[in-house]
């Protein structure tokens, strides 16, 4: 008998807001004490000895640069860098192991077109030229003197979640399917300040950004975005950028596809028209059903994914759980996330965990009483513009089969009776 059969169990009195045990989002807050009655605590007999071995000896001294516990060492990025294109590839953040909204810098996803350059910050320069009155060159020292701003914002590769384009569901985890996504506090200089100093001429409507790695990644960015919220980032989560994320400086364009946030930034050229580089014509353009290519699809769509429980995890049996996930949108803030436990027929509203920030990951949570039967869990995000995360079928029908970027469809996780969680199409 499970506790869900128990008429005396107070958890059974919590308001169910959608089918298959989804509970009111504030149930934990209102009835925190009830959780104990449904959570499998260890009995006193299974308790550890009164004095653990680590309580009997002095601990070790602090480290100059900190490491996490050795017991967490299996939480790593999942790398897909393969010969012969050494250094070209991606590594994915372990979304299923993370909580809150910040991705630790050491676990931030990485995507390189030709590896990580080893840049000496003393030698690195940023050139601003083109349609400007006064071309400028900045070294790190000069750049660091400008006013800095800090913002918590997500970065997502436009190729993230591409597995959901496949006709058959690819086995995988939140990490392997959606891990080209991270969120950091980025600190840097607003680009509008630097461009004002250089004096943009009236014909200057685009900016070509170029990286210093050997892929010489280049993208054309509309001046309106540069003026709106672009920064030259030099810090990530309080310390200097990691080499893999653009050390010593990168362009950061909040809410836009990752490839526009050019790493190892070395040059900004103000132009009248987009430059039409390799990285915006052969790549990062979207083939339409009529055979034409859509260029410059910069903004990332409204999206969410449940990270716990998620693919390749195993549930410990029927009982009370807290569903947890992340939602984000390139359009600004997330206004609502809904969760379904019946494959999208009924939906209940999840709790958004503060802070809810513009162009950042937003954590959502929802209490759930699983009765042990197979179910399909989904989440659906809605943003401040009213945009709703689409189903996979809707998205693929709308786009046609050639599209390959910006898959922001609803993820379906199947929970089987034995507690295994897997990627399915609902
Ligand atoms: N110079 C340069 N910038 C680059 C890239 C690159 O290979 N070279 N990759 C781009 C791509 S495709 C993405 S998704 C993001 C990834 O940023 P991250 O590695 O910090 O996560 O950087 C972008 N900027
Ligand atoms: Mo990317």
């Amino acid at each position: 008998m499970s506790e869900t059969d128990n008429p005396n169990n107070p958890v059974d009195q919590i308001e169910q807001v959608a089918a298959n045990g989804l509970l009111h989002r504030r149930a934990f807050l209102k009835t925190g004490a009830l959780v104990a009655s449904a959570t499998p605590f260890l009995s006193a007999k299974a308790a550890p000895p009164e004095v653990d071995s680590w309580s009997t000896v002095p601990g070790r001294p602090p480290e100059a640069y900190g490491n996490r516990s050795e017991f967490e060492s299996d939480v790593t990025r999942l790398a897909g860098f393969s010969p012969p294109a050494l250094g070209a590839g991606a590594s994915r953040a372990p979304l299923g192991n993370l909580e809150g909204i910040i991705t630790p810098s050491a676990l931030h996803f990485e995507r390189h077109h030709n590896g990580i350059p080893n840049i000496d910050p003393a030698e690195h320069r940023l050139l601003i030229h083109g349609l400007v009155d006064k071309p400028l060159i900045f070294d790190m020292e000069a750049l660091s003197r400008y006013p800095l701003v800090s913002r918590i914002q997500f970065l997502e590769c436009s190729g993230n979640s591409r597995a959901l384009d496949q006709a058959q569901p690819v086995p995988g985890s939140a990490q392997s399917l959606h891990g080209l996504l991270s969120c950091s506090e980025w600190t840097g200089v607003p680009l509008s300040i630097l461009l004002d100093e250089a004096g943009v001429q009236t014909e200057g409507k685009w900016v070509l950004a170029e990286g210093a790695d050997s892929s010489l990644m280049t993208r054309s960015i509309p001046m309106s975005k540069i003026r709106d919220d672009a920064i030259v980032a030099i810090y990530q989560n309080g310390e200097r950028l990691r080499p893999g994320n653009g050390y010593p400086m990168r362009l950061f364009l909040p809410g836009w596809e990752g490839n526009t946030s050019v790493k190892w930034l070395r040059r900004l050229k103000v132009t009248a028209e987009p430059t039409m580089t390799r990285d915006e014509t052969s790549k990062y353009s979207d083939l339409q059903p009529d055979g034409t290519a859509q260029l410059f699809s910069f903004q990332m769509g409204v999206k969410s994914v449940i990270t716990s429980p998620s693919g390749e995890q195993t549930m410990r049996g029927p009982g009370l759980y807290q569903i947890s996930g992340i939602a984000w949108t390139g359009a600004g803030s997330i206004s609502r996330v809904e969760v379904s436990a019946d494959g999208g027929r009924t939906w209940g509203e999840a709790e958004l965990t503060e802070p809810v920030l513009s162009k950042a990951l937003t954590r959502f949570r929802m209490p759930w009483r699983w009765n042990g039967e197979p179910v399909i869990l989904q989440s659906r995000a809605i943003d401040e513009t009213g945009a709703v995360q689409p189903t996979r079928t809707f998205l693929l029908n709308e786009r046609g089969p050639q599209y390959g970027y910006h898959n922001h469809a609803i993820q379906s996780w199947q929970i089987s009776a034995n507690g295994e969680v897997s990627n399915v199409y609902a």
Side-chain angles (χ1 to χ4, degrees):
M1 186 177 119
S2 84
E3 72 286 322
T4 51
D5 301 319
N6 181 355
N8 300 323
N9 187 338
V11 174
D12 286 353
Q13 311 312 315
I14 300 173
E15 182 193 346
Q16 181 168 313
V17 294
N20 291 344
L22 289 175
L23 304 178
H24 190 275
R25 63 189 186 281
R26 302 233 164 80
F28 281 149
L29 304 179
K30 277 193 273 183
T31 54
L34 300 184
V35 174
S37 62
T39 313
F41 280 109
L42 295 176
S43 79
K45 275 187 213 140
E50 209 160 292
V51 180
D52 292 302
S53 61
W54 47 80
S55 309
T56 62
V57 289
R60 58 165 174 71
E63 300 151 311
Y65 195 85
N67 281 297
R68 61 189 169 169
S69 161
E70 63 180 270
F71 301 104
E72 297 297 320
S73 59
D74 58 342
V75 178
T76 57
R77 288 187 282 224
L78 181 68
F81 292 88
S82 53
L86 269 183
S91 63
R92 292 164 159 79
L95 302 181
N97 298 98
L98 302 178
E99 258 299 338
I101 60 171
I102 299 289
T103 313
S105 301
L107 295 172
H108 193 288
F109 87 95
E110 295 181 337
R111 168 79 180 99
H112 319 306
H113 290 78
N114 207 10
I116 304 171
N118 189 22
I119 297 181
D120 177 353
E123 298 296 323
H124 184 78
R125 301 284 182 272
L126 170 62
L127 166 67
I128 300 184
H129 69 146
L131 297 172
V132 295
D133 295 335
K134 190 169 53 141
L136 298 171
I137 293 179
F138 295 90
D139 62 11
M140 285 304 293
E141 210 276 321
L143 190 69
S144 310
R145 285 204 216 164
Y146 282 80
L148 296 172
V149 295
S150 299
R151 298 183 189 122
I152 295 173
Q153 282 157 337
F154 77 83
L155 183 68
E156 183 182 21
C157 177
S158 55
N160 196 26
S161 317
R162 197 178 229 165
L164 268 60
D165 288 357
Q166 298 295 314
Q168 296 303 319
V170 178
S173 60
Q175 175 172 32
S176 69
L177 300 169
H178 306 292
L180 296 176
L181 167 76
S182 294
C183 184
S184 299
E185 186 202 56
W186 301 98
T187 296
V189 182
L191 200 42
S192 58
I193 296 181
L194 303 180
L195 284 176
D196 281 346
E197 179 137 7
V200 174
Q201 295 168 2
T202 43
E203 325 82 87
K205 296 285 182 249
W206 289 76
V207 176
L208 178 77
E210 181 184 72
D213 52 328
S214 56
S215 78
L216 287 182
M217 171 106 202
T218 41
R219 288 289 330 241
S220 307
I221 313 297
M223 190 62 79
S224 54
K225 179 64 175 177
I226 300 281
R227 293 254 172 239
D228 181 20
D229 58 2
I231 65 168
V232 179
I234 49 183
Y235 292 89
Q236 173 185 3
N237 298 328
E239 62 182 352
R240 293 284 184 162
L241 298 181
R242 293 289 167 118
N245 303 116
Y247 182 86
M249 60 174 78
R250 82 178 301 166
L251 185 59
F252 190 79
L253 300 182
W256 280 25
E257 56 181 17
N259 64 75
T260 62
S261 284
V262 172
K263 299 188 280 191
W264 313 296
L265 185 67
R266 70 183 293 268
R267 189 163 73 98
L268 293 166
K269 182 182 183 187
V270 178
T271 61
E273 302 285 344
T275 305
M276 299 303 220
T277 71
R278 171 197 63 191
D279 295 311
E280 55 204 15
T281 52
S282 86
K283 303 241 176 352
Y284 306 123
S285 58
D286 306 315
L287 204 49
Q288 306 292 302
D290 68 359
T292 62
Q294 164 85 48
L295 298 177
F296 308 119
S297 41
F298 292 125
Q299 189 172 295
M300 299 309 289
V302 60
K303 189 165 172 182
S304 68
V305 61
I306 293 171
T307 53
S308 177
S310 60
E312 294 177 357
Q313 296 179 351
T314 307
M315 314 263 296
R316 260 175 73 165
L320 196 59
Y321 286 85
Q322 184 172 213
I323 293 171
S324 177
I326 43 179
W328 65 101
T329 171
S333 302
I334 290 295
S335 51
R336 184 180 165 96
V337 177
E338 296 166 342
V339 174
S340 171
D342 59 358
R345 277 175 288 280
T346 64
W347 297 87
E349 188 179 353
E351 175 82 358
L352 303 185
T353 306
E354 294 292 334
V356 177
L357 301 170
S358 182
K359 301 176 190 176
L361 295 187
T362 293
R363 177 63 59 177
F364 66 87
R365 297 192 172 98
M366 181 142 190
W368 176 43
R369 190 181 53 226
W370 183 44
N371 66 8
E373 309 212 324
V375 296
I376 291 179
L377 285 183
Q378 300 178 322
S379 64
R380 170 169 81 182
I382 297 139
D383 73 20
E384 63 172 56
T385 69
V388 182
Q389 184 179 4
T391 64
R392 181 179 165 277
T393 311
F394 178 88
L395 189 82
L396 296 191
N397 281 344
E398 196 183 48
R399 294 176 160 185
Q402 309 284 5
Y403 206 100
Y405 295 110
H406 293 264
N407 192 320
H408 62 123
I410 290 173
Q411 166 68 48
S412 303
W413 297 123
Q414 177 168 282
I415 320 288
S416 31
N418 66 3
E420 277 168 23
V421 188
S422 48
N423 175 34
V424 295
Y425 295 155

